Amino acid sequence: MPAQGADTLETRAIHQMKGTKVTTTAPSTSTSTPLRSRFQWRVIDIVVASVIGVASGLIFVVWNVASSPALAPFAALLPGLQAVGGGFWLFAGVLTALVIRKPGAAIYGEVVAASVSALIGNQWGVLTLVSGLTQGLGAEIVFAAFLYANWRVSGAVLAGAGAGLAMAITDLTIWYVGAEVSFAIVYTIAAVVGGMLIAGLLSWLATRGLAATGALNRFGAGREIAKRV
Amino acid sequence: MIPIAAVNPVAKLGAGLIVSLFLIVTIDWVSATTALLLELSIIAFMGIEPRRFWLRTLPVWLAAPLTALTIMLYGRYGGDVYFEFLFIRISDGSVELALATFLRVLAIGLPAVVLFISIDPTDFADGLAQRLRLPDRFVLGALAAVRMVGLFLDDWRSLELARRARGVADRGRLRRVAGQGFALLVLSIRRGSKLSIAMEARGFGGDTPRTWARESRWGAAEWITLIVGLLIGVAATVVAVLTGSWTFIAR
């Protein structure tokens, strides 16, 4: 009888779980299906993506303060050219995606970095999260367009361009509304170029460097390098 | 005194976004001024120490005139032109837009920053996972990483001391910061990998439904916060429409 009592408790607990829970347990135990495991986030993916996001967020905080004086000469040279420095706010998503190689990694990394930047305190407050979301989305769309299979330098640079374009659209609608068309065009081109070089190329180089240290041995990005050596 | 610190961070985030949304769609000085006056009168009763308030909002006070200056020099022109040089063209139209931009940046930025002053990362994560129902693995993973910031700072100091001991600390400041930053990233990824194993060992990311140690509360105060945000946005829009100055951004 006591055994049966325990049994009913257990079955009740199972019934309390959602139906979806039961279905998700089945594929997670059989990780042999390649497509499923390639797109599924492991715990290490989540934690390391978060760590990269937070570390990037700290760099954002430094750049939030340093960007105005650093970019003033660019703005004076050609109005809108200061957007080229925006790349230092765009690399988080691309870098996270290049390391983790999972759907949503670019959005996640950029949003975590933006949250850290907003929590520590900056001039954009809540809207930092909006920027983070759109910029991450810009990079994410590019990686998705390659079906999450292009992690080479071309994919990284194009994702950086996507993030730059997203940043230009967001900034021009939220902050620089009354600007002339020429300003908007220069701003957009500068943002895309900055995104390609800083967010794209630099992130790709950083990923290669990280892989070479062996820190990414548990990720696809790290194993690829190890094979080549 | 308004006990804003006790309000659920998700409600603060929501209120900030609602106010911003109403102000983003228009570019005129009336809606921005209305919102700014309402916001400042509420902020005055929040009991924020003056020193803390000015320190945290200083970037907004700096950004507002700088953004306005950009618009004044390169904004859409109209009416009399006062000054023209290369790309710069200061006119009646751009001066008006610059004034609107100045007030708009303040009206959007000040509440956004003030609402974020008192947010604790743990409360924020609890709210995001329990109230907004964001995936808990991701929210708690991010929270774990945020909690590592203190360690980052310790690591940074150790790296600095190590470089000094090796006699490579005095050469090229910029290169040193970049190299040290990369070393810090390697350290933190290694630590993150270890942390994830520890978390998994304790059942993180398993199939059992998660229970929460701290309940994220949602009550009258949270609804009031959201409604106040909505009222500010609506009031600013109504006043601007009535005075005929409401201007859609994509005209």
Side-chain angles (χ1 to χ4, degrees):
Chain A
M1 270 319 267
Q4 205 180 354
D7 229 46
T8 47
L9 261 180
E10 204 181 336
T11 43
R12 202 183 302 157
I14 290 170
H15 278 301
Q16 275 170 354
M17 285 195 243
K18 284 173 192 161
T20 49
K21 261 283 171 299
V22 181
T23 49
T24 48
T25 38
S28 68
T29 46
S30 61
T31 42
S32 52
T33 42
L35 191 78
R36 179 86 189 173
S37 60
R38 188 158 82 83
F39 286 161
Q40 217 168 26
W41 285 68
R42 303 166 296 165
V43 171
I44 189 171
D45 294 326
I46 296 175
V47 176
V48 170
S50 307
V51 167
I52 295 173
V54 170
S56 311
L58 294 178
I59 295 174
F60 285 11
V61 171
V62 175
W63 189 237
N64 291 345
V65 181
S67 59
S68 303
L71 295 176
F74 288 92
L77 195 67
L78 184 66
L81 201 62
Q82 67 267 35
V84 84
F88 286 109
W89 285 305
L90 301 172
F91 73 91
V94 181
L95 180 63
T96 312
L98 288 178
V99 170
I100 307 293
R101 299 188 173 181
K102 299 278 189 249
I107 293 181
Y108 182 70
E110 191 72 38
V111 168
V112 169
S115 308
V116 169
S117 173
L119 281 170
I120 290 178
N122 62 22
Q123 55 266 55
W124 311 286
V126 182
L127 290 172
T128 318
L129 303 186
V130 176
S131 285
L133 198 65
T134 54
Q135 292 160 8
L137 192 68
E140 187 73 43
I141 287 172
V142 175
F143 286 126
F146 285 113
L147 300 174
Y148 299 105
N150 182 358
W151 307 108
R152 297 181 296 278
V153 67
S154 60
V157 167
L158 284 174
L165 185 65
M167 181 188 81
I169 294 171
T170 317
D171 287 359
L172 289 170
T173 32
I174 298 186
W175 306 112
Y176 298 111
V177 170
E180 265 199 89
V181 179
S182 60
F183 177 87
I185 291 171
V186 173
Y187 195 89
T188 308
I189 293 172
V192 169
V193 170
M196 287 167 99
L197 293 179
I198 301 168
L201 194 62
L202 217 58
S203 296
W204 185 77
L205 290 172
T207 311
R208 269 175 64 99
L210 284 173
T213 65
L216 304 182
N217 283 348
R218 291 190 60 195
F219 298 90
R223 284 194 286 265
E224 207 174 69
I225 291 278
K227 232 180 282 166
R228 212 180 292 153
V229 171
Chain B
M1 224 30 78
I2 304 165
I4 192 72
V7 174
N8 195 317
V10 173
K12 291 188 222 175
L13 181 82
L17 283 179
I18 290 171
V19 174
S20 306
L21 204 66
F22 278 98
L23 294 174
I24 282 169
V25 292
T26 175
I27 171 86
D28 67 292
W29 66 273
V30 178
S31 66
T33 309
T34 314
L36 191 59
L37 288 176
L38 290 171
E39 286 159 11
L40 286 176
S41 54
I42 293 171
I43 289 171
F45 287 101
M46 277 186 185
I48 305 166
E49 286 170 59
R51 192 172 169 273
R52 199 169 177 212
F53 173 80
W54 289 110
L55 211 63
R56 290 300 289 266
T57 58
L58 183 67
V60 185
W61 297 102
L62 291 177
L66 284 175
T67 316
L69 184 69
T70 306
I71 294 297
M72 187 164 86
L73 300 183
Y74 315 117
R76 265 184 238 132
Y77 62 96
D80 293 340
V81 174
Y82 302 113
F83 182 78
E84 217 171 338
F85 177 72
L86 294 176
F87 300 96
I88 300 171
R89 194 188 274 132
I90 302 176
S91 64
D92 273 340
S94 68
V95 169
E96 202 187 314
L97 277 171
L99 179 68
T101 301
F102 174 72
L103 293 163
R104 189 167 173 263
V105 170
L106 287 181
I108 293 175
L110 282 183
V113 171
V114 166
L115 285 170
F116 252 68
I117 285 182
S118 55
I119 287 185
D120 172 67
T122 309
D123 286 344
F124 191 35
D126 277 331
L128 289 178
Q130 293 174 46
R131 293 294 151 195
L132 286 187
R133 303 266 167 200
L134 296 184
D136 53 44
R137 286 200 307 163
F138 287 87
V139 172
L140 293 176
L143 180 62
V146 168
R147 286 281 172 240
M148 281 166 65
V149 169
L151 293 175
F152 286 174
L153 300 179
D154 284 348
D155 284 345
W156 185 261
R157 249 170 259 128
S158 310
L159 285 169
E160 228 160 33
L161 291 173
R163 286 185 178 229
R164 180 150 285 277
R166 287 166 55 205
V168 290
D170 300 322
R171 189 184 49 180
R173 174 176 283 246
L174 210 66
R175 250 200 82 187
R176 181 167 63 89
V177 169
Q180 223 168 293
F182 183 75
L184 187 65
L185 195 60
V186 173
L187 264 179
S188 51
I189 287 177
R190 288 228 163 94
R191 184 174 285 141
S193 304
K194 263 183 241 159
L195 179 68
S196 81
I197 295 170
M199 286 164 82
E200 239 172 332
R202 303 200 64 179
F204 183 81
D207 295 321
T208 41
R210 168 166 291 283
T211 55
W212 296 91
R214 299 164 299 265
E215 195 202 342
S216 177
R217 286 174 213 286
W218 192 278
E222 282 71 29
W223 287 116
I224 291 170
T225 308
L226 287 183
I227 290 169
V228 167
L230 188 68
L231 285 178
I232 293 175
V234 170
T237 308
V238 167
V239 170
V241 168
L242 287 181
T243 53
S245 60
W246 196 87
T247 319
F248 188 58
I249 44 168
R251 73 199 156 120

